[in-house]
Amino acid sequence: NMKLDELKKNMSTLDQVLAKTNSDIKINVSASETAQAKILKKFRQIMTSCAILAVVFTAMIIGGISPHKFSIHLKICLVAYSLVCTIWYAYLYFKLKNINIAVLSPAQLFSKTANIRILMISGEIFFGIVIGLLLIYALYSNPTALWALAYSFVVWIVVSVFHYWPQYIKLFSDLNSIKE
């Protein structure tokens, strides 16, 4: 019901935007910049977490820690995965950071933020597929590793769907705030 109300509000806002010319529409710069700062903070947190995981798995490789639980190949895959995630979210971070909300027209802002949102969703889907492939690899290399990765994957999906994605939906909506 709440999603339906939000959809109706968004459709109403879209109708208002389409009814006006570009000069009649004004971005709520304060609300948009606040949302931008919050999304940037979330991207920094993800980059930091992924970088820490890459360091931890690298240390496991160098130190030979738990060689029976996670094979060296699986640890190398996890390091590469974590580094790619770090680089991807750094790219999104700098792409969003370079948006100067105060000087963009509403159409430009909507286009740029839609592009970032699509890139973010595409990245999430790609990283989910890669985790799925790592699960398949873990199945053949070590059942303990399989269960550890499977549990982490399920927790990640549940937390993302019920906690992070609603936050991102709201923040991206706020990023495109227009003055009523």
Side-chain angles (χ1 to χ4, degrees):
N1 189 21
M2 188 170 100
K3 290 182 182 182
L4 183 59
D5 292 337
E6 184 177 331
L7 178 63
K8 287 179 184 176
K9 180 183 176 239
N10 288 341
M11 292 301 290
S12 173
T13 302
L14 180 61
D15 289 341
Q16 290 172 7
V17 168
L18 292 174
K20 297 178 180 182
T21 65
N22 199 31
S23 60
D24 294 338
I25 303 167
K26 300 291 183 214
I27 297 294
N28 185 345
V29 175
S30 175
S32 294
E33 287 177 343
T34 300
Q36 182 184 31
K38 288 179 180 179
I39 295 170
L40 289 172
K41 180 181 176 185
K42 288 185 177 298
F43 286 172
R44 274 192 313 271
Q45 290 171 337
I46 294 170
M47 285 186 307
T48 303
S49 298
C50 291
I52 289 170
L53 284 174
V55 168
V56 167
F57 286 116
T58 301
M60 287 175 73
I61 292 168
I62 293 169
I65 298 172
S66 70
H68 300 293
K69 302 290 184 207
F70 288 90
S71 70
I72 187 78
H73 297 99
L74 183 57
K75 286 185 256 186
I76 291 170
C77 289
L78 290 170
V79 168
Y81 175 82
S82 297
L83 288 175
V84 169
C85 287
T86 302
I87 292 166
W88 181 251
Y89 277 96
Y91 171 74
L92 292 177
Y93 175 86
F94 288 111
K95 192 163 178 68
L96 180 59
K97 187 170 177 66
N98 288 331
I99 294 177
N100 187 347
I101 293 167
V103 299
L104 292 177
S105 71
Q108 290 171 321
L109 177 64
F110 295 169
S111 173
K112 287 180 182 275
T113 57
N115 184 28
I116 291 172
R117 189 184 307 193
I118 289 169
L119 287 172
M120 189 181 133
I121 291 168
S122 301
E124 292 283 328
I125 291 168
F126 171 77
F127 296 130
I129 291 170
V130 171
I131 285 290
L133 294 174
L134 285 174
L135 286 171
I136 293 168
Y137 175 75
L139 173 66
Y140 292 108
S141 68
N142 187 315
T144 304
L146 168 71
W147 288 110
L149 285 175
Y151 176 75
S152 299
F153 184 62
V154 168
V155 168
W156 173 60
I157 293 289
V158 169
V159 169
S160 291
V161 168
F162 293 106
H163 181 68
Y164 290 117
W165 291 354
Q167 289 178 3
Y168 277 116
I169 290 169
K170 183 183 180 332
L171 287 173
F172 274 103
S173 179
D174 291 348
L175 187 58
N176 290 330
S177 293
I178 59 172
K179 290 183 181 178
E180 298 292 330

